[in-house]
Amino acid sequence: MMAWLPKALFVATALLLGAQPVKAASINLPVPKQTIHPGDEIDHRDLVDRRFPSRTATQFAVVTDRGQITGMVAKRTLLPGQPVPLNAVDKPMLVKRGEPARLVFQEQGLIIIMQVEALQNGGAGSFVRVRNIDSGLVVSGRVQNDGSIRVEN
């Protein structure tokens, strides 16, 4: 019967000392100001910060920093005021399937540049397969920031 006494004493002491109730932790997340449609590039001006409970970022795979999505392209509609799922954005496509591209081979001062046809879409840093227009030979290379494709050894 006396087991409740320490707990009640603790609560009464806390109230007398002016203890504030514990508030749930929160986090600021970048959210769209207005609807962002699939294919739209995301600019920092398209985003505002909004406060959410901390568990939002731990329970769901959402963007937690503007730098993660600035310059990315929306893969699906992003709604205003809603956290942005990580899988809802992607790198901009620099190489598009079926379109001409530039393949660069460089080794020991020798540089060979040729016109190829992209067989896959790709953003900067991704590997894509391409076909040499003249010979039909298929090779893979990494997409560079300028949209060229570099063959790596």
Side-chain angles (χ1 to χ4, degrees):
M1 183 162 144
M2 298 295 278
W4 63 270
L5 184 59
K7 187 175 185 181
L9 187 60
F10 173 76
V11 171
T13 305
L15 291 174
L16 285 174
L17 295 175
Q20 297 294 319
V22 177
K23 293 183 180 177
S26 61
I27 186 172
N28 280 331
L29 298 176
V31 298
K33 282 184 192 176
Q34 69 277 340
T35 302
I36 298 175
H37 299 283
D40 289 352
E41 187 169 328
I42 301 167
D43 187 78
H44 69 91
R45 293 172 293 199
D46 297 328
L47 305 169
V48 294
D49 288 333
R50 182 171 166 216
R51 194 167 273 308
F52 289 92
S54 291
R55 70 177 185 275
T56 303
T58 56
Q59 287 179 332
F60 307 103
V62 296
V63 173
T64 57
D65 182 69
R66 288 175 183 240
Q68 289 178 290
I69 59 172
T70 300
M72 301 288 266
V73 174
K75 289 173 34 178
R76 63 180 190 216
T77 302
L78 305 177
L79 299 174
Q82 297 299 311
V84 178
L86 285 172
N87 65 358
V89 295
D90 204 358
K91 296 176 186 173
M93 290 297 124
L94 298 174
V95 174
K96 295 186 178 159
R97 181 178 182 206
E99 292 187 5
R102 203 170 44 116
L103 184 72
V104 178
F105 175 81
Q106 184 174 3
E107 187 173 314
Q108 298 178 2
L110 174 67
I111 300 174
I112 301 172
I113 300 173
M114 64 183 73
Q115 190 77 13
V116 293
E117 176 188 0
L119 299 176
Q120 297 173 290
N121 294 332
S126 61
F127 276 95
V128 294
R129 293 176 329 142
V130 296
R131 178 182 309 126
N132 181 315
I133 294 171
D134 297 327
S135 69
L137 180 67
V138 175
V139 297
S140 295
R142 185 182 301 268
V143 179
Q144 304 299 300
N145 289 330
D146 66 357
S148 66
I149 301 156
R150 182 175 296 264
V151 177
E152 298 178 352
N153 292 336

